[in-house]
C-alpha cells in the first residue's frame, strides 16, 4: 500500500469521525468536499487545533478554522453564547481535535497496531499562516510538526455559512 | 445522594458530562472535578465519592494510571470507575477492564448513551 493510498483511507476516516462528532455532540449540520493536497502557502487560518500521533505511521491531524467558527462550536458544546475568544473556546477546539484524532486512531490501530496520541495543542491568532523554512533541520525522524514542508491532505467541511478544514500530515515510521 | 468525580483535562468536556447527567434524570448530589489523574487521586482521597468518570489521555497522570493507582491504593479502591475516552479499541477497553475499570464509554457520545452507561451505577429520579 502506498503512502498516498494510506493517506486517502485516513482522510475518509477523518471525514467519518468528524461527521459522527458533529452529529452526536456538537449538533451542527455538516457537509464536506473531497480531500486534496494543499501546500503551506495555501493555508491561512485563525485557529489550529492539532494532535500528533506515533506508531507504524506518524503524523499530525489538525483542525483549521476561523475564530468565528471556533466560537460557534464552543458555544454549541457549552450551550451558552460565548462572545470572546476565551480559554474555554481553545479548550473546546482542543477537545474537538482530540475526539476526531482519537476516533481515527481507533480505526488505524485495527490495521496497524498500537499508536500513541499527543495531548491536543491549540494555536490561535488572526490570519495565521504556516511556513516551513527552507533548509531547516529535521528535528527527528519519528515526528512531524505542523511546520513540516510536506503538503497537507486537507478535507474541507461546511457548516452553515462557515467553512473549516481538517488536515493530515503522514509519514511511515522507520523509513 | 451520590457524589460524582469527573476527571478530564478538558474543562469543556467536564461541563458537558455534568450537564448531560443533570438533564438525564440521574440522581447526583454533587460533582467534583479534576484535570488529570494525579488531581483525581487527591480528590478521591479527600471526598466521599460514589462514582468516578475518567478520561484516558491526560497530562501528568493518565486515566489508566489513575485506575491502577486507585485500585492498588488499598483505600477507596472499590469506587466504580467508568472510562469516558476517545480510546475505543478492543485492546484499550480490555486493558481498562483488567486494570479495574467497571464501565467504558467512547467519545463522542450521545446523552442517551451516557445515561445508559451510568444507569448501572446511579439511580434515576
Amino acid at each position: 500500500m502506498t503512502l498516498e493510498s494510506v493517506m486517502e483511507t485516513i482522510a475518509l476516516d477523518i471525514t467519518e469521525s468528524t461527521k459522527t462528532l458533529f452529529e452526536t455532540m456538537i449538533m451542527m449540520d455538516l457537509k464536506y468536499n473531497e480531500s486534496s493536497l494543499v501546500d503551506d502557502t495555501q493555508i491561512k487560518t485563525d485557529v489550529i487545533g492539532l494532535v500528533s500521533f506515533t506508531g507504524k505511521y506518524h503524523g499530525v491531524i489538525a483542525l483549521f478554522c476561523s475564530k468565528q467558527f471556533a466560537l460557534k462550536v464552543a458555544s454549541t458544546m457549552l450551550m451558552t453564547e460565548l462572545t470572546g475568544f476565551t480559554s474555554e473556546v481553545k479548550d473546546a477546539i482542543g477537545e474537538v481535535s482530540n475526539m476526531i484524532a482519537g476516533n481515527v486512531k481507533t480505526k488505524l490501530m485495527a490495521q496497524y497496531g498500537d499508536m500513541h496520541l499527543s495531548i491536543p495543542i491549540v494555536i490561535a491568532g488572526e490570519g495565521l499562516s504556516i511556513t516551513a523554512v527552507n533548509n531547516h533541520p529535521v528535528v527527528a525522524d519519528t515526528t512531524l510538526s505542523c511546520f513540516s514542508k510536506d503538503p497537507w491532505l486537507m478535507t474541507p467541511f461546511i457548516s452553515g455559512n462557515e467553512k473549516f478544514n481538517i488536515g493530515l500530515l503522514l509519514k511511515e515510521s522507520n523509513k | 445522594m451520590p457524589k460524582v468525580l469527573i476527571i478530564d483535562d478538558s474543562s469543556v468536556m467536564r461541563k458537558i458530562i455534568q450537564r448531560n447527567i443533570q438533564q438525564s434524570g440521574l440522581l447526583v448530589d454533587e460533582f467534583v472535578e479534576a484535570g488529570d489523574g494525579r488531581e483525581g487521586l487527591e480528590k478521591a482521597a479527600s471526598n466521599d465519592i460514589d462514582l468516578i468518570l475518567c478520561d484516558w489521555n491526560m497530562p501528568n497522570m493518565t486515566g489508566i494510571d489513575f485506575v491502577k493507582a486507585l485500585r492498588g491504593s488499598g483505600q477507596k479502591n472499590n469506587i466504580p470507575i467508568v472510562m469516558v475516552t476517545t480510546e475505543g479499541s478492543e485492546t484499550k477497553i480490555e486493558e481498562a477492564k483488567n486494570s479495574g475499570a467497571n464501565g467504558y464509554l467512547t467519545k463522542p457520545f450521545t446523552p442517551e448513551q451516557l445515561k445508559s452507561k451510568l444507569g448501572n451505577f446511579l439511580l434515576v429520579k
Side-chain angles (χ1 to χ4, degrees), chain B residues 41 44 52 66-77 81:
Chain B
L41 283 176
I52 299 170
F66 164 82
V67 174
K68 289 173 184 170
L70 189 73
R71 291 297 185 239
S73 68
Q75 287 182 328
K76 301 190 174 184
N77 58 2
I81 303 172

Side-chain angles (χ1 to χ4, degrees), chain B residues 31-77:
Chain B
F31 292 98
V32 178
E33 297 184 28
D36 60 42
R38 200 177 295 167
E39 194 186 346
L41 283 176
E42 290 166 11
K43 295 282 173 76
S46 57
N47 291 274
D48 286 327
I49 302 293
D50 298 285
L51 174 65
I52 299 170
L53 308 184
C54 187
D55 188 16
W56 190 304
N57 294 311
M58 293 180 287
N60 301 320
M61 180 187 269
T62 65
I64 196 69
D65 288 339
F66 164 82
V67 174
K68 289 173 184 170
L70 189 73
R71 291 297 185 239
S73 68
Q75 287 182 328
K76 301 190 174 184
N77 58 2

